[in-house]
Amino acid sequence: MGIIRAAIQTVRGSLADQWKEVVEPDDMGEQTVFTKGVVMKNSGGRASKDVISNGSVIHVYDNQFMLLVDGGRVVDYTAEPGYFIVDNSSMPSMFDGEISESLQEAFNRFKFGGTTPLSQKVYYVNLQEIKGIKFGTRNPINYFDNFYNAELFLRAHGTYSIKISNPLLFYAEAVPRNAERVEISDINEQYLAEFLEALQTSINQMSADGTRISYVASKSRELSKYMADTLDEDWKRMRGMEILSVALASISYNEESQKLINMRNQGAMMGDPAIREGYMQSAVARGLEAAGSNSGGAAAGYMGMGFGMQAAGNMMGSASEANLRQMQMNQAVQQQAASASPAQEAARWTCGCGTVNTGKFCAECGKPRPAAERWTCGCGAENTGKFCSECGKPRPAAERWTCGCGAVNTGKFCSECGKPHP
């Protein structure tokens, strides 16, 4: 029992009248993963039965996987578009198309037992990317951020997409029994729970890798890779499908985390003496404005403000003087940095957190200084700077190479898809 390929001329030409019926896939939307085949009459219109007769023609379109099933067991299949004739006297043809050889292993597990065919039916599995599957975290996900040095909590919402990579396994393990049409939403409850669990694991891994919490929303591509590493092995092995992409629509923080972030950012801003001085001057201006609009009269308002200014004058004067000294020190440091010798300039390095350092460790987050990349000049001297210390020749430009995905790179890995330099 199986199928054989039919020439398109025989299906559409003068021999078309000899076919008993033609099977077409039922409507297949963007999120339809599985649907039945519809038996069409030779004269047009649908037949009154769904049982496939010997000698019928089955039509398969691009990005569809057709299964010929008898009593729930797979008789034959194809992943190649075209017309195929049902021939119960032939052996299974198993047209794999571009799908991996794992199909044949799955076929041996779920194939027909060899008895006389009674109720053959045709089903189709969607091989296109199933997009727009929505997700949202029910509870906040904990995220330790090294920059804030605090345990923060975030919520994530967005969409993800999957692709069915082993349709035989998907049919056997994921499609409900006797179902004739399946949308991804019909079977997504369990998968969504597993997805959210893997999402938390992947986001925690991003935290362990030192990614700033404010950067998570822009890391959809990296998150897709984390999710694939977490879920794909299990989903491919158990259900024949895999994660293709994850798109984060929004990242939000719980109330306490937002307060901590705002407090840390305000503290960082107030560390600048110019901002502190401006804040004090604007506070005085707001006080004068409030005194002028005092309901008891401007004179009373200014009198009260005068007493307050007299009491706080010494403190504000000291604060302004301290701000001025720090601004002068910062200016001196900048001037010194501008006139630094080449050796001193070479000793300066910028940490991933943005802090400029001269020592072996970052003064802000404690990360070690990255090792300088070494290169060998044509004269044989080994260097780390932009010019050879022996002959003065400039460092050669980095070798450019093109990845299979089309991206042009200079490093060891592709900046677009992450594949290593061939």
Side-chain angles (χ1 to χ4, degrees):
M1 296 173 290
I3 56 174
I4 57 176
R5 187 184 298 277
I8 190 171
Q9 292 83 358
T10 62
V11 176
R12 294 182 177 177
S14 59
L15 296 178
D17 294 336
Q18 300 179 15
W19 306 121
K20 294 183 178 179
E21 56 226 2
V22 175
V23 182
E24 294 278 345
D26 204 356
D27 293 338
M28 185 174 285
E30 291 183 354
Q31 292 200 326
T32 305
V33 293
F34 178 82
T35 189
K36 67 177 181 178
V38 179
V39 180
M40 311 298 292
K41 294 180 180 179
N42 194 317
S43 58
R46 295 193 177 194
S48 58
K49 61 184 180 64
D50 291 329
V51 178
I52 309 303
S53 304
N54 186 39
S56 300
V57 173
I58 302 173
H59 192 184
V60 182
Y61 293 89
D62 289 328
N63 290 317
Q64 290 182 341
F65 184 89
M66 185 279 293
L67 302 95
L68 181 60
V69 176
D70 193 305
R73 306 294 287 180
V74 179
V75 175
D76 206 345
Y77 65 81
T78 180
E80 300 178 12
Y83 292 94
F84 299 86
I85 305 170
V86 177
D87 186 354
N88 289 332
S89 64
S90 68
M91 296 293 291
S93 301
M94 299 183 296
F95 296 102
D96 291 340
E98 297 181 359
I99 300 182
S100 65
E101 296 179 357
S102 59
L103 274 181
Q104 296 187 16
E105 179 183 348
F107 179 74
N108 290 332
R109 292 173 55 188
F110 308 121
K111 66 182 179 181
F112 184 69
T115 59
T116 304
L118 298 175
S119 59
Q120 290 185 346
K121 296 184 178 182
V122 170
Y123 295 107
Y124 295 85
V125 177
N126 191 352
L127 297 183
Q128 286 187 319
E129 179 183 7
I130 309 299
K131 306 174 184 176
I133 308 172
K134 296 182 179 180
F135 71 87
T137 53
R138 299 182 180 90
N139 301 309
I141 299 175
N142 61 305
Y143 194 100
F144 183 82
D145 193 299
N146 290 323
F147 179 77
Y148 295 105
N149 195 29
E151 190 81 32
L152 305 175
F153 295 86
L154 59 81
R155 288 185 173 91
H157 296 82
T159 59
Y160 69 98
S161 67
I162 65 167
K163 185 176 179 65
I164 298 171
S165 55
N166 189 328
L168 284 175
L169 187 59
F170 181 82
Y171 167 72
E173 302 295 344
V175 175
R177 181 172 297 181
N178 298 325
E180 294 187 337
R181 182 182 184 85
V182 179
E183 303 290 326
I184 188 61
S185 57
D186 298 333
I187 58 175
N188 195 43
E189 183 176 357
Q190 173 66 28
Y191 308 146
L192 180 60
E194 295 177 12
F195 176 89
L196 291 175
E197 181 181 355
L199 178 67
Q200 177 163 353
T201 301
S202 300
I203 289 180
N204 288 341
Q205 185 60 51
M206 295 179 74
S207 168
D209 291 345
T211 303
R212 285 270 298 275
I213 193 170
S214 56
Y215 297 161
V216 173
S218 63
K219 298 290 185 179
S220 292
R221 186 179 297 276
E222 288 85 347
L223 189 58
S224 298
K225 295 178 181 178
Y226 282 116
M227 294 292 291
D229 292 341
T230 306
L231 271 183
D232 274 358
E233 183 178 352
D234 289 340
W235 278 18
K236 284 181 180 179
R237 176 176 51 83
M238 295 191 304
R239 304 183 183 107
M241 62 184 188
E242 59 187 85
I243 297 261
L244 274 195
S245 65
V246 179
L248 292 174
S250 65
I251 291 288
S252 60
Y253 313 116
N254 70 345
E255 186 176 352
E256 291 300 319
S257 296
Q258 191 65 62
K259 287 180 180 179
L260 285 172
I261 292 172
N262 292 340
M263 182 176 64
R264 173 65 173 80
N265 293 340
Q266 289 172 1
M269 290 177 61
M270 296 305 288
D272 188 330
I275 295 178
R276 285 202 307 269
E277 185 63 22
Y279 179 81
M280 290 181 61
Q281 297 296 337
S282 63
V284 172
R286 288 195 300 270
L288 290 170
E289 183 180 358
S293 60
N294 190 291
S295 59
Y302 286 124
M303 184 181 297
M305 184 176 178
F307 286 124
M309 290 290 290
Q310 185 177 0
N314 292 335
M315 181 187 70
M316 293 181 63
S318 300
S320 293
E321 185 177 350
N323 290 338
L324 179 60
R325 285 199 303 268
Q326 187 171 353
M327 283 188 284
Q328 291 172 341
M329 291 175 59
N330 290 346
Q331 186 177 7
V333 170
Q334 291 174 358
Q335 291 175 349
Q336 182 180 2
S339 60
S341 65
Q344 291 173 325
E345 186 64 29
R348 297 168 64 86
W349 60 280
T350 303
C351 180
C353 69
T355 306
V356 179
N357 306 276
T358 57
K360 295 181 179 179
F361 295 89
C362 176
E364 181 67 23
C365 65
K367 288 184 179 179
R369 177 174 183 168
E373 185 179 355
R374 305 182 69 85
W375 59 280
T376 302
C377 179
C379 69
E382 195 173 65
N383 307 275
T384 57
K386 295 181 180 179
F387 295 88
C388 177
S389 59
E390 186 67 27
C391 66
K393 289 183 180 178
R395 179 176 182 170
E399 179 189 358
R400 300 173 68 85
W401 58 279
T402 303
C403 180
C405 68
V408 179
N409 307 275
T410 57
K412 296 181 179 178
F413 295 88
C414 177
S415 60
E416 185 67 23
C417 66
K419 290 183 179 179
H421 189 308

